Amino acid sequence: TTRLEHTALQSSGINAEYGGESEVREAMVRKCEYLTSIGDKDAALKMLKDTLDKTTTTGHKLDLHFHMIRLGLFCCDNKLITVNLDKAKELIELGGDWDRRNRLKVYTGFYAMSIRNFKDAATNFLDTVSTFTSYELMTYHTFIKYTIVSAMLTLDRQELTKKVVNGSDINEVLHDLPLFRKYIDSLYNAQYAEFFVALAEIELFLKKDRMLAKHASYYVREMRVRSYSQLLESYSNLTVNYMANSFGVSEKFIDKELSRFIATGALNAKIDKVGGIVQANKPDKKNAQY
């Protein structure tokens, strides 16, 4: 055994003289876990790479790459994350097992969410709702929260109905997550005043979450746009007063909000300031193709 392997064996309580290849590797993995647990990134990475050199099976190699991804997530090192996600995908194509394929989707979705790619996050999370085993990354309840947050922003109504509102696996957990049930149901059932209250509580959840805090303002803004768009899709025009009452806010607030979103192109509508009317500009899908 090398000096590094000898040290790893000793720290794991294994006699270096009698340690075989599997014992050496197991000891090195435990050393990797210890170095990671104390936040020694450089030493952990060196040990992980040395352990990878001693590893021959695809499954064990994938586990080490998952470990490096987790280290990258903890240290906010995007390069470390992406390099190891790519290597993990290459290994999966060479013959990764079913469980690790699903775990890779969770890791991919988690990283996508952390960089504000909620669409890819929702796709990967929803693919693994019924097969989730990545407890080393997060709890199942946290996973479901992330799935809902991502899906609510990016799925159209039909997909949201099928995969979230009527999703049996998600519904099994929602009785433990009353806020997230209220968040889904209020938007889906067009109870906009209740939705705004739920969204304010969701914003608090986002701000307290390490991976989502920096995206909280963006997310809440986009969900407000989505709720306004959903209401306007049902009517040719509405009074500002009606919209204000629907969302449980003042006319001044709704006028300011709509004006801002219309000006930036986020909302397809226009406001008649004299008549106090909001008119929906429904895009012509046929003309949009040219």
Side-chain angles (χ1 to χ4, degrees), residues 126 147-148 151-171 174 181 184-185 187-190 226 230:
L126 287 165
T147 302
I148 291 168
M152 285 285 283
L153 182 61
T154 59
L155 266 57
D156 61 32
R157 188 173 177 84
Q158 186 177 359
E159 287 181 309
L160 194 66
T161 303
K162 179 182 177 182
K163 298 179 179 180
V164 178
V165 177
N166 296 332
S168 57
D169 293 299
I170 290 178
N171 273 285
L174 282 179
R181 178 176 287 283
I184 295 167
D185 291 346
L187 182 63
Y188 186 76
N189 296 320
R226 176 160 195 170
Q230 180 174 292

Side-chain angles (χ1 to χ4, degrees), residues 41-254:
K41 178 186 174 185
D42 293 337
L45 272 178
K46 185 177 187 311
M47 180 60 76
L48 281 162
K49 289 172 182 176
D50 289 334
T51 307
L52 198 57
D53 291 338
K54 298 286 291 183
T55 303
T56 56
T57 62
T58 300
H60 288 152
K61 285 182 178 180
L62 279 164
D63 291 340
L64 291 169
H65 286 299
F66 288 150
H67 191 139
M68 284 189 260
I69 295 167
R70 292 197 302 275
L71 186 59
L73 288 165
F74 180 78
C75 298
C76 299
D77 186 336
N78 285 357
K79 183 177 180 181
L80 180 61
I81 298 166
T82 54
V83 165
N84 283 282
L85 277 174
D86 289 342
K87 288 180 179 178
K89 288 171 185 175
E90 289 174 11
L91 287 169
I92 284 292
E93 293 305 313
L94 293 175
D97 59 58
W98 175 84
D99 176 64
R100 289 182 175 91
R101 283 178 183 270
N102 283 303
R103 284 169 61 198
L104 178 58
K105 286 186 179 182
V106 176
Y107 278 74
T108 302
F110 191 54
Y111 174 63
M113 184 188 72
S114 76
I115 59 170
R116 203 180 284 182
N117 187 347
F118 289 104
K119 185 173 181 59
D120 281 359
T123 299
N124 282 283
F125 287 160
L126 287 165
D127 280 350
T128 52
V129 166
S130 61
T131 56
F132 178 84
T133 57
S134 301
Y135 296 102
E136 73 282 2
L137 195 59
M138 67 187 97
T139 66
Y140 188 58
H141 276 49
T142 298
F143 170 72
I144 291 297
K145 290 177 184 179
Y146 287 156
T147 302
I148 291 168
V149 164
S150 302
M152 285 285 283
L153 182 61
T154 59
L155 266 57
D156 61 32
R157 188 173 177 84
Q158 186 177 359
E159 287 181 309
L160 194 66
T161 303
K162 179 182 177 182
K163 298 179 179 180
V164 178
V165 177
N166 296 332
S168 57
D169 293 299
I170 290 178
N171 273 285
E172 282 180 15
V173 181
L174 282 179
H175 67 275
D176 291 330
L177 305 172
L179 167 59
F180 287 82
R181 178 176 287 283
K182 181 170 72 171
Y183 181 51
I184 295 167
D185 291 346
S186 58
L187 182 63
Y188 186 76
N189 296 320
Q191 298 165 331
Y192 297 112
E194 288 184 24
F195 171 72
F196 260 30
V197 173
L199 183 60
E201 294 180 63
I202 290 292
E203 183 176 13
L204 292 177
F205 160 75
L206 298 175
K207 287 181 175 179
K208 291 177 182 178
D209 187 275
R210 182 172 174 270
M211 306 307 293
L212 290 171
K214 60 187 174 184
H215 306 307
S217 296
Y218 165 83
Y219 183 87
V220 171
R221 182 174 67 249
E222 292 302 308
M223 286 306 300
R224 290 209 303 264
V225 169
R226 176 160 195 170
S227 63
Y228 295 143
S229 297
Q230 180 174 292
L231 178 58
L232 289 168
E233 281 173 6
S234 305
Y235 302 92
S236 298
N237 54 67
L238 294 167
T239 64
V240 173
N241 177 262
Y242 179 85
M243 286 197 72
N245 289 335
S246 296
F247 285 94
V249 297
S250 67
E251 288 186 36
K252 182 179 180 181
F253 175 87
I254 206 78

